[in-house]
Each structure stands twice: as C-alpha cells, then as structure tokens.
C-alpha cells in the first residue's frame, strides 16, 4: 500500500472524487496554474480544465456565494481558502445562508470549505487561527479535522458526498511532515465518529488534528501507564458516545486542543 503525505492524501481524494463525479468542481485563489498556496491542486487544471478548476479573485464572500448558488443547480463545489483565517470574510454567507438553507427552503447545500488551519509555522496572527468552534456553534454545518493521511482522504470524500455544508480543516504543520498508508480508492470515513488510537484503562485523553501527535509524543514517555487516546476526527457532530464509553472505563479525562481555552471544544467536552 503506498505511503502518502497528509497533503498528497488530500490531493488524491480530491482527484478521485472529481474523476468519479463530474458535478464536483473547485473554486479558489491560485488553485489553477499555481496549484494552490500549498500545491494541493497542482496539475488539476491540466487534468480537469478551467470549467472545473475555477480561479477566483481575492473576494471570499463573493465566490463562496457563487458556490452556494452552484450547489442549488446540481454542482458539488469544493472551495479552497489559501489560509483558513480568511474564511471569516465569508462568514455571513456560510452561517446565515448555507448552513440554514435546508431548514429555510428544504434545499441542501453540498459545499465543502477546505483549507490550511492551525499554528506551528510562524505564520503570524493572520495565518494561524483555530476557527473550528466559530462553526461548531452554527447549526447546519459539519466540522471535520483529521489527524492522519488515511482519515484525511476518507473524510474528505465523505464531506464531498454529504448534502450539507462541511468545513474540512487541514493542519498545515502536518501537510509534508506526516506520512501514512493510503490505498487508491480509499472508502469514505463516517463523519461524526471518533477513533480509539490507543486503548487504555487509567486515563482518557481526547484530542484532534495536530495536537493528537503532541499527545502521542508525550505517551511515548509514559509507557508504564495505561492511557486511552481518542482522536475526535469530527468536531461537529461530536461523538459523545465514544467519549462517555471511554470515561466510564477510565474515570478520568484530559482534553488537549490547540484552540483558545474559552469556548473551545475542550470546554464543551468538559461540560
């Protein structure tokens, strides 16, 4: 089975979904000839052409609105933000229209909002945000944050096939640092299901994204303890059953997140 970087796994899943379904189209800044800010879509313009790989101006609110309209007429758009921080420019369209469309009009909005998220690259305050809870607070949108290449590929496929809007977060620190086995044609991974990365009986640790790897680094020095490590994979909907089942066994929980303390997913789990 081939080993792919986190970035290449995302690229492969995106390519396979576009090959399988002609309604999948890409929108974003510099995603064509340049191949995207981190090269996720390198070669896509030559493979799929300018009618499916759509170069956008620096106008996030505008092209997110266009993508929502495209979803109404049968397309399944995937939007790339160069850095996920700039999704704030399109916040109104996403939370006040895309996320509420099914409830207002009975019309689903199968749009994926994907992009690099998180800190660790010294990219400064405008390129390092954790935005997950902005959207987890907004009913109608799913929030996904994989921590390994296989899950990244499988969860991206699930998001593209989902009829509700999905925020797909790709930790930029993992893009080229992390490799894993990813089969061609990998199956979708269910949204909303956590994974037990390491079983244990004395303590439950819950994390996601880059912080899962910080937990694994710490656990490498704690081999004498029986610690269960859970990868959330999805922030919303949250797999409460998996967390509760583990804590019933261990009676203790630690939550590790990169987001700020106030109002983060750790606060929700702790509550």
């Amino acid at each position: 089975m081939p080993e792919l970087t986190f970035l290449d796994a995302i690229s492969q899943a995106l390519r396979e979904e576009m090959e399988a379904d002609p309604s999948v189209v890409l929108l974003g800044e510099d995603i064509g000839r340049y191949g995207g800010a981190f090269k996720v879509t390198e070669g896509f313009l030559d493979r799929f052409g300018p009618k499916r790989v759509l170069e956008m101006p620096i106008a996030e609110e505008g092209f997110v609105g266009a993508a929502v309209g495209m979803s109404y007429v049968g397309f399944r758009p995937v939007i790339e933000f160069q850095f996920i921080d700039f999704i704030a420019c399109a916040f109104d369209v996403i939370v006040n229209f895309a996320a509420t469309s099914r409830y207002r009009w009975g019309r689903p909005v199968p749009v994926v909002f994907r992009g690099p998220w998180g800190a660790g690259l010294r990219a400064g305050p405008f390129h390092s945000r954790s935005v997950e809870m902005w959207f987890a607070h907004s009913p109608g949108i799913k929030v996904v944050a994989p921590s390994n290449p296989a899950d990244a590929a499988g969860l991206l496929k699930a998001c593209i096939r989902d009829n509700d809007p999905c925020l797909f977060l790709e930790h930029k620190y993992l893009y080229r640092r992390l490799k894993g086995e990813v089969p061609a044609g990998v199956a979708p991974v269910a949204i909303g299901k956590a994974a037990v990365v390491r079983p244990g009986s004395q303590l439950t640790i819950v994390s996601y994204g880059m912080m899962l790897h910080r937990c694994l680094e710490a656990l490498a020095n704690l081999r004498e303890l029986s610690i269960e490590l859970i990868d959330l994979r999805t922030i919303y909907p949250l797999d409460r059953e998996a967390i509760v089942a583990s804590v019933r066994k261990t009676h203790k929980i630690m939550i590790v997140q990169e987001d700020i303390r106030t109002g983060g997913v750790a606060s929700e789990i702790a509550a």
Side-chain angles (χ1 to χ4, degrees):
M1 189 181 297
E3 276 205 340
L4 299 179
T5 64
F6 192 77
L7 185 150
D8 287 337
I10 293 166
S11 183
Q12 175 178 291
L14 194 54
R15 188 181 302 107
E16 289 176 352
E17 289 300 287
M18 292 185 74
E19 289 169 347
D21 184 353
S23 71
V24 178
V25 296
L26 309 184
L27 294 86
E29 299 157 3
D30 293 329
I31 62 170
R33 288 289 169 211
Y34 190 67
F38 289 86
K39 305 300 183 183
V40 171
T41 58
E42 190 167 29
F44 277 55
L45 182 62
D46 292 335
R47 172 67 181 84
F48 298 104
K51 291 186 177 180
R52 296 187 67 195
V53 181
L54 305 172
E55 293 269 23
M56 293 289 112
I58 303 175
E60 286 83 359
E61 185 175 22
F63 65 74
V64 169
V68 173
M70 293 171 73
S71 76
Y72 267 36
V73 294
F75 290 96
R76 306 187 80 86
V78 179
I79 294 173
E80 176 179 304
F81 294 93
Q82 286 194 335
F83 289 84
I84 207 64
D85 311 56
F86 303 119
I87 199 171
C89 300
F91 193 77
D92 177 51
V93 179
I94 296 170
V95 303
N96 284 329
F97 193 87
T100 64
S101 176
R102 181 187 288 278
Y103 307 102
R104 281 177 159 184
W105 317 111
R107 293 294 299 271
V109 175
V111 180
V112 178
F113 310 102
R114 51 159 294 268
W117 137 86
L121 296 183
R122 300 183 179 183
F126 298 109
H127 301 81
S128 303
R129 278 193 179 272
S130 293
V131 303
E132 53 266 38
M133 294 308 286
W134 296 358
F135 297 93
H137 294 153
S138 304
I141 183 170
K142 295 167 182 174
V143 182
V144 175
S147 68
N148 63 73
D151 281 350
L155 283 164
L156 180 56
K157 287 189 171 187
C159 287
I160 292 171
R161 299 180 193 187
D162 200 285
N163 283 329
D164 288 312
C166 295
L167 173 61
F168 187 83
L169 298 169
E170 306 163 7
H171 204 291
K172 64 177 81 71
Y173 191 85
L174 299 179
Y175 267 154
R176 294 182 173 86
R177 287 176 171 84
L178 184 66
K179 282 189 174 184
E181 292 185 344
V182 183
V186 64
V189 172
I191 297 171
K193 295 294 182 184
V196 176
V197 175
R198 169 176 160 165
S201 60
Q202 294 177 304
L203 170 70
T204 298
I205 298 180
V206 176
S207 193
Y208 60 98
M210 176 58 201
M211 289 300 102
L212 186 91
H213 297 278
R214 295 286 183 248
C215 294
L216 288 169
E217 290 168 9
L219 292 178
N221 297 315
L222 297 170
R223 297 184 186 278
E224 71 280 6
L225 299 177
S226 179
I227 298 175
E228 184 147 294
L229 177 60
I230 294 177
D231 182 359
L232 288 178
R233 302 199 290 191
T234 303
I235 306 303
Y236 188 85
L238 189 64
D239 191 348
R240 298 170 186 271
E241 291 78 11
I243 298 167
V244 170
S246 180
V247 175
R248 281 200 179 110
K249 177 174 58 175
T250 66
H251 306 293
K252 304 178 194 68
I253 184 169
M254 180 168 75
I255 309 120
V256 182
Q257 65 178 25
E258 185 175 316
D259 197 5
I260 60 172
R261 181 187 302 172
T262 304
V265 69
S267 304
E268 174 69 13
I269 294 171

